[in-house]
Amino acid sequence: MNPNVELKTMKNLSILWLSVALTFSFPCFSRAQGNPEGARFAREGMEAAKNKDWNKAVDAFRKAAELDRKQAPNLIAALQQRGAAYTSEQKFPEAIADFSEALKMKPNDTGIYERRAYVEMKMNDLDKALADYSEAIKLSPDEVRYYLYRGYIYEIKGNVKNSMADTEKALKLDKHNAEALSRKERLQKVQSMNAPAAAPAASKSP
């Protein structure tokens, strides 16, 4: 694979990561009034989150969620925030653990699959990243970027057929997508180079 292409794609992934890494909110704090002790832990978690003390925030929201199930979304958000912080610090196993715990509580969240896949790619665990993008595609089959990133992984693994299939799907959803058009052209060149030579024409009998 062209190293310049790989660098550009990883740069795009990094930009995407930065755009989503710090966008989590804590949706249930104001509504969690059913359990006084749970609400107290939630307040502690919120204060820790404001100070970006993610270890304390996760611990507090976990305690709150054990007492009041309405706090689970706050715990999920805190886990993602800590996972993002771990990713920025290149503590990839810790980030994977946080995203995996969040997914256990919210298995239909494509964003968490996407963030975990990004970390898995940074760890060069391409098969797991493929699996996570495949799950994201199942949940959001019309999201172009999931096909682009899965197609990218297939390409660097040398699976031209599957990379082309994902590229074609991306173009079906967005026919002017520059990345998909560039990849299709690149893959077509690889296919033509790998195509078997035509059999020589049979000679005619005199």
Side-chain angles (χ1 to χ4, degrees):
M1 180 179 176
N2 187 329
N4 292 329
V5 173
E6 184 171 359
L7 181 63
K8 180 181 178 181
T9 305
M10 286 305 296
K11 183 178 180 181
N12 289 342
L13 276 168
S14 298
I15 292 171
L16 172 67
W17 171 263
L18 291 172
S19 71
V20 301
L22 300 176
T23 58
F24 314 118
S25 60
F26 299 89
C28 293
F29 174 70
S30 62
R31 301 197 303 269
Q33 304 298 328
N35 186 296
E37 190 174 6
R40 178 174 64 82
F41 282 124
R43 286 193 293 273
E44 291 179 6
M46 186 64 66
E47 188 63 30
K50 289 179 180 178
N51 295 325
K52 297 186 179 181
D53 185 346
W54 303 119
N55 288 333
K56 186 175 181 180
V58 168
D59 183 61
F61 282 130
R62 182 176 283 118
K63 291 176 180 176
E66 289 172 354
L67 294 166
D68 187 343
R69 291 178 63 86
K70 291 181 179 180
Q71 287 296 331
N74 286 333
L75 175 57
I76 293 168
L79 285 166
Q80 291 188 78
Q81 284 280 20
R82 190 171 69 176
Y86 281 144
T87 302
S88 298
E89 296 166 8
Q90 298 190 36
K91 295 180 178 179
F92 299 137
E94 292 88 343
I96 292 288
D98 276 352
F99 293 137
S100 297
E101 184 178 350
L103 277 170
K104 288 179 181 178
M105 291 182 283
K106 196 176 182 183
N108 63 341
D109 191 315
T110 57
I112 307 176
Y113 281 111
E114 185 175 6
R115 292 172 190 114
R116 190 171 69 175
Y118 173 84
V119 180
E120 289 161 344
M121 290 177 68
K122 297 289 284 186
M123 297 175 70
N124 204 34
D125 199 340
L126 300 182
D127 289 335
K128 288 185 178 178
L130 274 176
D132 276 348
Y133 278 122
S134 294
E135 287 298 320
I137 286 170
K138 287 179 185 177
L139 293 166
S140 296
D142 294 329
E143 181 53 66
V144 174
R145 70 176 184 274
Y146 297 155
Y147 295 100
L148 291 175
Y149 293 142
R150 192 174 69 172
Y152 163 72
I153 298 173
Y154 278 132
E155 184 179 9
I156 62 177
K157 284 173 65 69
N159 191 330
V160 175
K161 179 181 178 181
N162 284 349
S163 183
M164 181 64 85
D166 276 352
T167 302
E168 292 283 13
K169 180 62 178 179
L171 286 170
K172 186 176 180 180
L173 294 168
D174 179 6
K175 64 181 180 180
H176 299 299
N177 187 280
E179 185 174 347
L181 289 169
S182 175
R183 178 173 296 137
K184 182 175 180 178
E185 181 180 358
R186 189 165 63 247
L187 292 172
Q188 286 175 330
K189 290 179 180 179
V190 174
Q191 287 176 327
S192 64
M193 290 173 60
N194 295 337
S203 59
K204 296 181 179 180
S205 301

